[in-house]
Amino acid sequence: MGGTVDNPERTAALRLEHLDRGFTQGDRRIDVLKQASATFYPGETVALLGPSGAGKSTLLHIAGLLEKPDSGRVILNGVDCDTLNDNERTRVRRMEVGFVYQFHHLLPEFSALENVMLPQLILGLTKADAQSRAKDLLATLGLEERWDHRPAELSGGEQQRVAIARAVANKPKILLADEPTGNLDPNTADRVFDELMQLVNEEGVAAVVATHNLDLAARMDRTLRLADGHLVEESVVVIGVDR
């Protein structure tokens, strides 16, 4: 696939280098990202802050290879994704990236277990291996008695836990979460966030979490703010990450 980027210290889960992204509205050019750069390491959690419309979702989409920047590079697990064709980008995304959204987007006709198995089956795992991994993840999230239920039979918090399990099912290097608890009541949001952080720690995945919740942001290792298209580091309190 694409070229590997050497790092003499350690391989970052994700590097964003000098990303530019803009849109045209009528005769106006709106620059959403301006030379946005950041590095994310395995096992750390990073809060992404910024007002609505600042470009947080655009940044996550580019980081997760759902969109392409106008310029700049996305380097996932040492691979420069600018060198990849569309099929290779899709495969890297399936292998290396997990997504969690504000709404769970579970497939309604499938059970919780089947929803977590599906991305693994798409990647080529056997049914037995996919089922074993799915059961382990759902049990970790306290859903061992709910895995045969369809999404409509689950509470909002349970639905989001299934979505989290699905996002890490393929053992990605980076987890991108866009307001993952924004659709939940405060108590449920707090519990789901704790479980998300526990799973991130156990899986050793780097997590980037876009949120408006400053209390949740304060519980993460680092905080980045998207301001006027630039990524600005607000604090550095890295826990358990040897630089």
Side-chain angles (χ1 to χ4, degrees):
M1 295 196 307
T4 300
V5 177
D6 292 329
N7 183 333
E9 297 179 0
R10 69 180 299 186
T11 299
L14 172 68
R15 291 187 187 278
L16 307 177
E17 297 186 352
H18 310 297
L19 298 181
D20 288 324
R21 186 73 170 101
F23 303 93
T24 300
Q25 288 188 349
D27 58 355
R28 286 183 49 202
R29 166 78 178 184
I30 300 174
D31 292 313
V32 177
L33 301 178
K34 303 174 185 176
Q35 294 291 292
S37 298
T39 301
F40 307 94
Y41 289 90
E44 71 169 347
T45 57
V46 181
L48 178 61
L49 302 180
S52 296
K56 298 189 300 298
S57 294
T58 297
L59 182 73
L60 293 182
H61 288 169
I62 290 173
L65 308 185
L66 293 173
E67 297 183 27
K68 292 183 179 180
D70 297 330
S71 62
R73 298 198 302 170
V74 176
I75 301 167
L76 264 171
N77 195 30
V79 175
D80 184 350
C81 296
D82 187 52
T83 68
L84 305 181
N85 63 37
D86 288 343
N87 288 337
E88 290 170 335
R89 285 172 62 90
T90 297
R91 180 162 180 80
V92 168
R93 184 169 62 247
R94 288 174 177 169
M95 294 177 62
E96 309 288 8
V97 184
F99 292 94
V100 182
Y101 298 99
Q102 181 174 349
F103 300 98
H104 58 79
H105 297 300
L106 299 173
L107 296 175
E109 66 271 28
F110 294 104
S111 68
L113 184 66
E114 291 166 337
N115 267 280
V116 181
M117 289 173 62
L118 278 172
Q120 302 176 75
L121 296 174
I122 290 172
L123 203 59
L125 269 70
T126 67
K127 184 176 179 180
D129 287 343
Q131 185 178 82
S132 176
R133 169 78 170 158
K135 285 183 175 180
D136 286 345
L137 288 170
L138 292 171
T140 297
L141 294 168
L143 294 172
E144 59 268 30
E145 296 182 0
R146 306 288 282 169
W147 58 41
D148 61 343
H149 290 65
R150 294 185 180 185
E153 300 172 304
L154 302 173
S155 69
E158 289 170 339
Q159 291 169 345
Q160 202 64 341
R161 289 184 185 97
V162 176
I164 291 167
R166 179 184 60 184
V168 301
N170 283 338
K171 301 182 180 180
K173 293 297 187 295
I174 185 80
L175 178 68
L176 304 173
D178 197 352
E179 296 286 352
T181 62
N183 198 39
L184 305 174
D185 67 81
N187 288 334
T188 303
D190 196 60
R191 290 198 303 272
V192 170
F193 180 81
D194 282 343
E195 291 170 349
L196 172 61
M197 293 299 99
Q198 177 187 346
L199 196 60
V200 165
N201 182 63
E202 291 179 359
E203 294 288 319
V205 62
V208 185
V209 182
T211 182
H212 287 102
N213 189 320
L214 297 181
D215 291 334
L216 296 185
R219 291 155 62 183
M220 291 184 245
D221 298 331
R222 289 196 286 140
T223 298
L224 295 173
R225 183 175 293 275
L226 193 54
D228 191 32
H230 301 284
L231 275 175
V232 181
E233 185 125 18
E234 292 203 330
S235 61
V236 180
V237 185
V238 181
I239 300 172
V241 177
D242 182 7
R243 299 291 176 84

